[in-house]
Amino acid sequence: MADTLQFNLVSPERSLASMQVTEVQIPGSDGDMTAMADHAPTITTLRPGVLKVSGPEGASEYVVTGGFAEIGDGGISVLAENAVAKADMDQATLKGMIDAATDTFAKAQEAKSDGVDAAAKTLADTVAIGDALGISVN
């Protein structure tokens, strides 16, 4: 049996998952990564995307937007700004995420801040979630 490690996923509203896992695929802002037992300690920020978890009890997927993941000796902790079980994603939830990203982008443009490019990337990644899940907000 493959080595397992503790995985915790929390958002400001609630704890979504706490389980033993064999691997976690993380949508990192610097690129996707897969964390497994004995992974080097790492902290990465998240981009909007689908976080995939595999373990002895099966696989789970969660849509995350923002936050960070910490991989360490104690396991993997993901603190997401917003997280929803993939099974619970619907058109209205995705539209809310896209509206929030659109608002952030518009504010960055209006302020002519250095964050315009990052806000544009976040918006594009959020829209891509819908494409990946087959959900349209048109």
Side-chain angles (χ1 to χ4, degrees):
M1 178 177 178
D3 290 337
T4 63
L5 62 160
Q6 180 62 37
F7 169 73
N8 296 300
L9 171 61
V10 296
S11 71
E13 296 84 29
R14 63 189 168 135
S15 173
L16 278 91
S18 181
M19 64 184 85
Q20 290 293 308
V21 300
T22 53
E23 72 177 40
V24 178
Q25 295 177 14
I26 301 167
S29 57
D30 290 330
D32 292 353
M33 63 187 301
T34 300
M36 299 166 58
D38 298 323
H39 192 285
T42 305
I43 295 177
T44 186
T45 54
L46 301 176
R47 67 167 175 76
V50 179
L51 183 136
K52 299 177 182 180
V53 180
S54 297
E57 296 178 18
S60 302
E61 295 182 333
Y62 304 90
V63 174
V64 296
T65 59
F68 70 94
E70 180 180 15
I71 304 162
D73 293 335
I76 302 169
S77 295
V78 176
L79 306 173
E81 290 174 7
N82 190 4
V84 178
K86 180 182 170 188
D88 295 337
M89 280 297 295
D90 58 18
Q91 190 175 34
T93 304
L94 179 61
K95 183 173 181 343
M97 290 177 175
I98 291 172
D99 288 349
T102 300
D103 186 52
T104 300
F105 177 62
K107 287 179 181 174
Q109 283 183 311
E110 184 177 305
K112 297 181 175 47
S113 74
D114 292 339
V116 172
D117 289 342
K121 174 77 169 107
T122 297
L123 176 56
D125 286 342
T126 304
V127 170
I129 291 171
D131 295 341
L133 299 179
I135 300 173
S136 173
V137 293
N138 296 339

